[in-house]
Amino acid sequence: MKVNIHDGKRTTRMGYTAVLIALAMIFSYIEAVFPFSWVTLPGFKIGIANLVIVVAMYSMDFKMALGINVLRVILVGFLFTGAFGILYSMGGCVLSLSGMGLLKKTGKFSILGVGMAGGVLHNTGQLIVAAIILTSTKTFFYFPVLLFTGMGTGLVIGYMSYIILSRLKLMQFN
């Protein structure tokens, strides 16, 4: 039986939203506990919490995805990463989601392209925040590295989102 989250039933939407927030927080916690920076590059994260945000954006709407993402960043910040974690994550969150929302709205980009752009924009947002906090543009020397890692992880997140949404049958694919 398929649950339609667009049917106007407030409790269904509220429950679905709560599950997405909880999943995003769990994924953020997993990345906080098991950092991948020792394996790869400093500051590198897969961004598995963004999987939840892409799913929310496609299965619900932009406003709900934004609410889920902002709430996740604040809650995870208070629980695991602290004030600077909130600042860096919020910079990435806002720029990434804004860009993904615009690309999705054009209808010219697949979920893979939207996910890839989200990965790159998230890293860009965090670099912008770092440049502001450190009052130095030298942080942008790291941009080429984060550009390629953001493209790769964003592509993976987009593909995983596609699989999840098609399995949940919450999205119509052309």
Side-chain angles (χ1 to χ4, degrees):
M1 180 172 156
K2 179 179 157 189
V3 175
N4 183 359
I5 62 163
H6 303 287
D7 65 2
K9 292 185 180 166
R10 187 176 172 157
T11 53
T12 303
R13 281 183 62 87
M14 193 180 314
Y16 185 70
T17 302
V19 167
L20 291 179
I21 292 168
L23 280 173
M25 289 181 65
I26 289 167
F27 291 158
S28 292
Y29 176 73
I30 289 169
E31 281 195 328
V33 172
F34 302 109
F36 293 95
S37 59
W38 60 271
V39 176
T40 58
L41 305 165
F44 173 78
K45 288 186 177 183
I46 296 173
I48 52 178
N50 293 327
L51 171 66
V52 175
I53 304 311
V54 174
V55 168
M57 190 171 62
Y58 277 86
S59 65
M60 298 175 89
D61 59 22
F62 179 81
K63 280 190 208 178
M64 292 301 291
L66 178 63
I68 290 167
N69 209 6
V70 167
L71 190 57
R72 173 196 62 92
V73 167
I74 292 169
L75 291 172
V76 167
F78 283 128
L79 292 172
F80 312 121
T81 63
F84 283 108
I86 293 173
L87 288 174
Y88 286 111
S89 292
M90 195 63 74
C93 150
V94 169
L95 187 60
S96 172
L97 194 58
S98 298
M100 289 191 302
L102 288 172
L103 293 179
K104 179 182 178 281
K105 191 174 184 176
T106 67
K108 296 180 181 181
F109 295 88
S110 70
I111 194 169
L112 299 177
V114 169
M116 191 182 311
V120 170
L121 289 171
H122 189 85
N123 290 344
T124 304
Q126 289 188 329
L127 278 178
I128 291 169
V129 170
I132 292 168
I133 289 173
L134 300 173
T135 63
S136 172
T137 58
K138 291 181 181 178
T139 57
F140 289 103
F141 286 118
Y142 201 47
F143 181 71
V145 173
L146 293 179
L147 173 71
F148 290 108
T149 58
M151 287 170 55
T153 57
L155 188 63
V156 169
I157 295 299
Y159 182 69
M160 290 170 61
S161 299
Y162 171 83
I163 291 171
I164 290 168
L165 289 165
S166 64
R167 297 255 170 103
L168 293 176
K169 295 178 179 34
L170 291 174
M171 182 173 156
Q172 296 293 325
F173 295 97
N174 296 331

